[in-house]
Amino acid sequence: MRAFNFPLGGIGAGHVVLSGDGGLRQWQIFNNINHCAHVPFSFFAVSVQEETRERISKLLQSNRLYDVPFEVAPSVSDHVVPRESRALLEKLPSIDRLEMHAEYPVVAVKYSIDNSPIHLELEAYSPFVPPDPDDSGLPAVIFHFQVRNVVRRPVSVSLLMCQQNAVGWDDSTEISGISHPSFGGNRNAVVRRRNYTAIVMDNGSLSENDSRSGEMATAVLDGSAAARAQWASLDDLWDDFASDGWLDSSTEGEPSPAGQTINAALASRVLLGPGEETRITFLLSWRFPNRVADWVQPTLDVGQEPSKTAPWLGNRYAARFSSVLEVIEYVNGKLDIFDRVADRFRAAMYETTLPAPLIDAVSSQVAVIRSPTCFRGADEAFYAFEGCCGASTEMIGERGGCCPLNCTHVWNYAMTMARLFPQLERSMRETEWLHQQHESGYLPHRVVVPLSLPRPWDRWIGGPPFPAVDGLLGAVLKTYREYRAGGGREWLLDLWEHVRLAMEHVMKRYDSGEGVISGPQPCTYDVEIHGPNSFITSLYLAALRAAEEMAKAAGDRESSERYRNRFRLGRKNADELLWNRHYYIHKHDASESVQSYGAGCHSDQLFGQWWANNAGLGYVLPRNRVRKALQSIFKHNYRKDFSGHQQFPRAYVKDDEAGLLNCTWPLGGKPETPLLYSDEVWTGIEYEVAGALLFEGMIEEALEILAAVRKRHDGRLRSPWNEVECGDHYVRPMSSWALLEAAAGYSYDAAKGSIGFRPRFQPEKFSSFFGAGGGWGRYSQRITGGSFSGRLLVLFGAIEVREVRLAFAHTKAARAKKGSRELDCTTRKIGNEVCFRFRNPIEIRTDETLRISIG
């Protein structure tokens, strides 16, 4: 698969991808964002010698698809093969073919070598330990090679890892072999310990404070491995390795001359008897501590060059480790734990009864959090661009981050990080309320860094002309989400006055007292929508409900009642004003020369209801009309092909592909200047609509949309882990996490200690991943006749529950056990659910199970 690019790297550490040809590409570990960044001479190889037979030595890459013609998908570049990759495979003998399979966070590769006496596989991943952002943010990649002898004679097997020292590279132009103007002074040193051999790479010509200063390292968990500290000639290196599967070792040499760098190589050799197998593990790590804000920021004076005044931000991971060797030591010391947790997460996510396209959509977008889109400064705060500049952002640039930072309206759609790394989401809320908020209550929709700089309260900051009101309403909802996910009452109280001020701002500026938003509404479509519309108003209604609940928790009864009354009024008025018997519309003055969608069927028209479903807030609009509107969206906006449709201003879908348009006008009345991006397809909106359909039990429609999205991202033309909008690794598609919770009927409220499941897929035999606050695992249930059995297994961390809510018809003979211990609890029917209420809170820790039986 030519566009199969599996990302490897930690949160805020950058990444490198393992591509479909078996090579490493997209080297974005240098505090850089450049989708085409490539470091040559960074590869794996194998050399095999069976008794009495000729030695086989192969590069573990394949160029089989390089020159096969195909039609490029629009706005992506994952299929592009770097020039140096082509040159490498023209020079060295490569394997015949390879097969790749990935279940995030692990990618598996099976290598096929004709006439080989071994079976060779690779599993690669970066440590992934949710909800721990530090251990999930390590600048490290683990490569586990599994080798098995498949013949009846002994076999000698050697694995080679080569890595170019790219410290000092300015990432602005292509490296040619070992040459680049930014190189010079590069040096490598071999480090041997009892259980590993490493080569540490740095650049002695750079000062400690230089933004390019740092270290790289490779290691093999073999204290007696061969290590060549530096080499420059590929021919010489290959002749050495291919002759006997070993290397002439060297510890170090002279620093590289100006304009050149050096390469490193490690080799590990084993002798396998018939049927014997072993694992050989390599590590790749890096440490580049000097991240700077080298992008344009609105607080800089006009004409000021950011590159000359870029403020230092640092990296969280670099603050944890003083050297790259410390990272190697740390990963090696916790390798068993990292292996176990990664395997458990993978099993919990993929060993499920839920449909494969749904799980693919949910799991693939976890990669965004660990892409170059996101980073953590030395202050431990979390920051993110909207995406990474690339083929879809020619109007902005081909490299760098798109639309910095922490864009409130785009992050409105992202649910993944809140569920897996709630600490990082709380960090974003603290930045918004404690640093960004204007004294009048509004929020600029972009963050400037460092936070000591003046806030952009009076300046245009990209996107809509004024602070995005949907971003502000989303900040209220996200605060409630973080509170429910485990933020706690004290955390909420620290932010409550800021939330209350924000609601006052919205109610005074945008709501005339009728509960419906009107006037100019800056939003995620990069314009102001004028006039009432259900996109913004439904979000407002959901925010009123969230604010009502937070006011209750904060003890602010007056505000709670006020929000509740305004919600009731707005729900009635919005429904009467905006319903056209088929879906909700946009009321605007046609005489005004503004962008609108008017009578259009907009896919985002129920955005607030989607949020309310995710946050357990009930219906913000009548349920029967929500269902009718969703049917209309699917009927009119989902297309099985795009022949004859002009995607404008950007194209993301080929004519022969299926997808969901942002807006259509089935009843006519398309404005002369329609709302920007109406004729585009955004996967973040496709996932949102599919999730809303699932919440309403409209399974077939949801799955058809999901199947279309995942077929487009199956690795042939697009990477499964890179969904593009305004940039690569875009944030909005993290709306996909809601699919999992909608399918499982999952709810969790840490403040109440309540967890619940109401599966919408095969409830008779159901199994699914769940994540709750400080722990995650697998929930499963079986229904047979009049009996029910449920099992909540925590695979990592711990969760505390006071009550469990499950969908079942009766409470007869209901029991709950933790391990072998019967729990003291009461049961009662609430609607069509059974609620188990425990006398004392129950903590379920790693490897512990809560079992429930009824009947």
Side-chain angles (χ1 to χ4, degrees), residues 46 156 158 256 258 348 394 471 484 497 514 561 570 572 649 728 750 808:
V46 65
S156 175
S158 299
S256 65
E394 293 179 357
R484 277 171 48 96
E497 284 305 312
E514 300 300 314
E561 292 178 356
K572 174 179 179 295
D728 295 281
F808 198 59

Side-chain angles (χ1 to χ4, degrees), residues 590-705:
S591 65
E592 293 184 6
S593 181
V594 294
Q595 295 186 24
S596 64
Y597 63 89
C601 179
H602 205 287
S603 291
D604 237 354
Q605 64 182 273
L606 297 172
F607 188 39
Q609 184 58 62
W610 177 80
W611 249 108
N613 289 337
N614 281 287
L617 294 169
Y619 282 90
V620 299
L621 292 165
R623 183 184 181 190
N624 63 326
R625 291 185 173 176
V626 167
R627 291 179 59 82
K628 178 68 174 177
L630 284 169
Q631 291 169 349
S632 296
I633 292 170
F634 180 78
K635 177 181 178 180
H636 300 303
N637 295 10
Y638 178 72
R639 296 181 59 128
K640 295 188 177 182
D641 71 77
F642 282 80
S643 301
H645 176 80
Q646 183 181 0
Q647 298 174 64
F648 178 82
R650 301 163 299 192
Y652 297 117
V653 180
K654 292 174 58 186
D655 283 352
D656 61 352
E657 294 176 322
L660 186 82
L661 281 167
N662 284 347
C663 192
T664 61
W665 285 264
L667 304 179
K670 184 174 183 177
E672 184 175 340
T673 307
L675 182 65
L676 190 60
Y677 311 132
S678 291
D679 291 301
E680 293 186 356
V681 175
W682 294 354
T683 61
I685 303 296
E686 290 178 297
Y687 292 144
E688 173 208 334
V689 170
L693 288 164
L694 288 177
F695 277 118
E696 294 303 323
M698 300 163 74
I699 308 299
E700 291 183 8
E701 296 90 336
L703 289 183
E704 186 164 354
I705 293 173

